[in-house]
Each structure stands twice: as structure tokens, then as C-alpha cells.
Amino acid sequence: MNFRNRSSFPDDEGNLHDEIQTLKREINLARNIQSKLLNAEVPKLSSGEVTGRSIPARLIGGDYFDFYPLANGKVRIVIGDVMGKGIPAAMLMILTRGAFRSAAVSTTGPGETLTAMNNALYRDLRSLRSFVTVFCADWDPEQRILTFANAGHPLPLFLGKSMVEELPRVTGVMLGGLPNQTYQEKHVHLNANQYILFYTDGIVEAQNQAGEQFTIERLKNTLLKNEGKDVGNVETAVVDAVFDFIGDKTQKDDITMVTLRVGEDRTDISSFNAPMIYS
Amino acid sequence: MFDYKMVREGELSTVFFKGDMDIEITEVMEEEILPGLQHVQQVELNFAAVSFVDSTGIGLLMNLVQYLKEQEISVTVTQLSEQILEVFDLLQIPDILGREVFPIYSIEND
């Protein structure tokens, strides 16, 4: 029996090398697990298209997006950002995913989903002194209505007809902030070929060598320049713009986005330039 | 780049934060600032020279404020820039930590 604490007293360089290799292997396994869970199947919509992408700042990250198919061809979209980065944030991201999947089954709208997630996560997040910001939305591709609720997350951007703006403001306390929360819902009616970009703050807060931030203005300009492209290309354009901006500087925060584009395979019954808000 | 200065005047300890508050300050916050405020009665966290706070920085600030309140130490967060205040509002930080922590709200109400 060996009573030595191998972690604290590696007896030679070989031991240390072995331990580093083990650690690397385990982190890579964790990364693969997270990558599989995060890259959930993108739902096929009856009309239009949606995609999502997450680029962790470290080997694994704390950002999260997911899709949950609902009845009548609708889909529930969620994007979240766990406080912190790296392995601790990744562990809480898995917890968040479980809470979303469970809540999505039993709740009728995004507001209720956030309430159920907060109820499920509140005690754990408080005891771990962490929190998660989450934006949740139900997309109905037939009626072209996006219904949404917010738990402290940046508001998604709407893009259409050479105009970019934030979705109507809807507030709510981040998950883990306060117990027994209810979350207000709003909805907007979208038109053919309009886009919604859900994103995490790692995009707008990405910094270059001079310490300047990418900012929401640069994100809006990138979207405007790429209007008309499919969601995959819009996503790539945003990623390229962020990494061109930060240059040689190390990526500080996870970068995640979900891009939704409204289809055009039905008669367009309205001609609004902006989303119609029903609140 | 982050730095801080802790000044004691009688019962009041003021912590002047300077620079960006993000994940890089985790150790400083937990191993220096928090233990440095163990035996005080009143704390002011001064944000006049803070240019940016990300979600991790907000979490660390929340943990610090909640810890001080648990110790029954009176705490205020002051001199927040408009930009940071906007982020705090979006996250409803004043509702979570208590509006009395942010004197700016009592000024607005006066």
C-alpha cells in the first residue's frame, strides 16, 4: 500500500507527466460530453431555418443553447450563460440543461419554463454562489410568432429590411437570483426573411489588444452586412467579425449564438418593417 | 488590469476598485478583499474607477455583498457608471441584493 499523496508529492517528472496526461484526457472527455450535449439536434422547421453555435473561451465552457420541439411544429429555444468560465461553469451548464429539458416537457410557455427552471435550480445555485442568465422563446413558424421571456439575459436582436434593433424589453431575475419568480412574456409577429439573433455577452464584450470591446454596434453592423444570407453564413460572419476584431488577444469569454430566419414559403399577409409587438 | 485600495476611516472601510472586474479578479476578491473586511462595521464599495464588469465580476460582487450582509456589516455600492448601472438594472441586482445597498436609487427617489 502506498500512503503517499501522489497529487501533492510527485516523486519524479514521470509521475507528474502521467498526472498531467490523465488530467488532459479527462478534460478532453468532459469536453466531448459537453460538446455532444450542447450540439443537440437542430430542429427541422416547417418553414425557415435555425442554427446554433458555441465557442468556449477555455477547453470547456459555461454557455448553453438548446432546442426543444413542441406540438404543432413549434420549437422552444433557450440560450444561457452560467456565471464564470471553465470546468465549474461547465458543470452548472449541464445542470441548467437538465432543468430546461425537464421544464420544457411540463410547461406551456417560455415564462413558465423559466419559473420551473428557477424553482429547480435556485437552492443549488445559491449554495454554489452562482447564477445563470437565460433567454427562452417559443417560435411558431406557421403563425410566425415569437413568444419570449427573460431571466437577466441580453435581449436578442431583430434583423429585417436593413434595420437591426433589440426585441422589446422584457425583464426577469436571473436563475438563482431570487426564489419563487414569475417571468413576464411578450411576443412579436415576424415577416418573411427576417432574423432573430440570440446571443451571449461574450460576443459584445470580446476585447481587442487595445482593450476595446466589440460592442453591440459592431454586432448590428455585421448583421446588416449579411442580411439575405442563410443562417449558417450569418453565424459564420458574426464569428469571423468577432475573431478579426480580437486579433491576437486571447478570447476571454464563451461566445454563443442562435440564429433564426423566418421562411418565405407562404403568402406574406403583412408588410411591417418592424416586428409587430403584441406584448 | 484590476487593482484596488482599501481605506479605513473610523468605522467605515472603503474599497476603491479600479479597472475591469471579470474572472481574473476571483482570487483577489476571495483571498484578499473578503478576508480584509472581516472585522469592520461599515463598508463602501466604490466603483468610480471601474470601467467594465462581466457576469463573473457581478457574481463575485454579489457574493461579497451577501457575505457582508450575513456578517451584519452595513454595505453600500457607490459611484457606478451609467453603463454598469444599466447592466445591473437588466439583471435586477438591486432587487436581489436590496435597494438600500445602492444609494443611487434613494437619490433618484428624493
Side-chain angles (χ1 to χ4, degrees):
Chain A
M1 185 178 279
N2 180 5
F3 287 97
R4 287 183 68 177
N5 181 339
R6 291 176 58 241
S7 299
S8 304
F9 303 104
D11 55 7
D12 54 32
E13 268 186 37
N15 255 356
L16 185 61
H17 177 76
D18 288 349
E19 290 187 10
I20 290 170
Q21 287 307 313
T22 303
L23 199 57
K24 278 185 180 171
R25 198 160 50 240
E26 289 182 5
I27 289 172
N28 279 329
L29 284 170
R31 182 185 198 184
N32 289 341
I33 289 170
Q34 191 191 39
S35 174
K36 279 196 168 59
L37 293 176
L38 189 61
N39 291 303
E41 194 179 342
V42 175
K44 183 97 180 96
L45 303 176
S46 59
S47 169
E49 49 180 357
V50 65
T51 188
R53 186 165 175 188
S54 187
I55 304 168
R58 302 184 179 195
L59 277 174
I60 52 180
D63 278 3
Y64 167 63
F65 70 88
D66 205 358
F67 306 105
Y68 188 86
L70 301 167
N72 304 323
K74 295 180 189 174
V75 62
R76 186 160 294 161
I77 299 166
V78 70
I79 187 165
D81 181 356
V82 177
M83 176 200 142
K85 284 164 262 296
I87 294 172
M91 291 169 78
L92 292 176
M93 174 274 207
I94 302 292
L95 202 65
T96 306
R97 180 185 185 272
F100 170 69
R101 288 288 174 111
S102 302
V105 178
S106 58
T107 52
T108 57
E112 255 189 54
T113 297
L114 292 180
T115 295
M117 289 175 77
N118 190 52
N119 289 344
L121 295 172
Y122 177 76
R123 286 170 69 98
D124 285 343
L125 289 171
R126 281 315 336 124
S127 66
L128 296 167
R129 293 184 177 274
S130 188
F131 65 81
V132 188
T133 67
V134 175
F135 194 93
C136 186
D138 285 3
W139 171 237
D140 182 340
E142 289 302 313
Q143 301 300 316
R144 295 174 170 174
I145 291 174
L146 186 79
T147 308
F148 51 93
N150 190 10
H153 198 79
L155 290 168
L157 295 175
F158 155 81
L159 166 68
K161 295 192 175 170
S162 303
M163 186 181 73
V164 188
E165 60 184 45
E166 288 184 344
L167 282 182
R169 188 178 171 94
V170 56
T171 58
V173 174
M174 58 195 153
L175 307 186
L178 290 170
N180 308 318
Q181 292 298 294
T182 53
Y183 293 89
Q184 180 196 11
E185 284 181 2
K186 284 190 177 175
H187 45 276
V188 292
H189 184 197
L190 302 174
N191 295 316
N193 293 317
Q194 293 180 334
Y195 303 75
I196 299 290
L197 180 82
F198 307 78
Y199 66 96
T200 58
D201 59 9
I203 292 180
V204 292
E205 291 173 359
Q207 285 186 11
N208 64 11
Q209 286 287 6
E212 297 164 333
Q213 294 193 352
F214 187 67
T215 70
I216 197 163
E217 292 310 318
R218 286 191 177 88
L219 178 57
K220 285 179 175 178
N221 288 336
T222 305
L223 291 176
L224 283 171
K225 280 184 205 157
N226 290 280
E227 186 177 0
K229 294 182 179 171
D230 66 45
V231 288
N233 283 328
V234 171
E235 187 179 84
T236 301
V238 172
V239 171
D240 288 349
V242 172
F243 282 96
D244 282 349
F245 177 78
I246 65 177
D248 294 333
K249 176 117 173 170
T250 308
Q251 181 193 344
K252 274 179 96 171
D253 200 358
D254 305 330
I255 286 171
T256 300
M257 76 195 92
V258 170
T259 314
L260 170 74
R261 186 186 193 189
V262 183
E264 55 183 337
D265 55 349
R266 61 190 277 274
T267 308
D268 195 357
I269 56 170
S270 59
S271 57
F272 297 106
N273 285 329
M276 188 171 174
I277 304 158
Y278 292 90
S279 90
Chain B
M1 192 66 191
F2 174 79
D3 199 6
Y4 75 96
K5 190 170 69 173
M6 212 178 279
V7 178
R8 278 200 189 194
E9 269 183 278
E11 291 180 349
L12 175 68
S13 285
T14 305
V15 187
F16 295 91
F17 296 119
K18 188 179 175 187
D20 293 351
M21 294 182 70
D22 55 24
I23 197 164
E24 309 296 335
I25 71 162
T26 305
E27 287 77 19
V28 176
M29 193 70 108
E30 292 176 351
E31 294 167 17
E32 295 179 24
I33 297 171
L34 200 141
L37 297 171
Q38 296 279 354
H39 304 291
V40 301
Q41 288 183 299
Q42 208 180 335
V43 172
E44 178 190 340
L45 304 173
N46 188 303
F47 274 64
V50 175
S51 42
F52 168 67
V53 187
D54 78 352
S55 61
T56 306
I58 290 170
L60 292 167
L61 173 71
M62 284 173 61
N63 291 341
L64 177 63
V65 171
Q66 284 172 338
Y67 171 81
L68 294 171
K69 288 178 90 172
E70 282 163 18
Q71 306 304 308
E72 298 186 343
I73 296 168
S74 164
V75 54
T76 54
V77 179
T78 63
Q79 305 279 324
L80 290 160
S81 70
E82 205 171 306
Q83 196 183 358
I84 294 174
L85 200 59
E86 202 175 304
V87 175
F88 279 22
D89 272 339
L90 175 71
L91 289 168
Q92 294 186 240
I93 303 294
D95 295 328
I96 295 168
L97 295 179
R99 290 196 165 244
E100 73 282 359
V101 172
F102 299 88
I104 179 97
Y105 292 104
S106 54
I107 293 167
E108 281 175 357
N109 291 336
D110 286 345

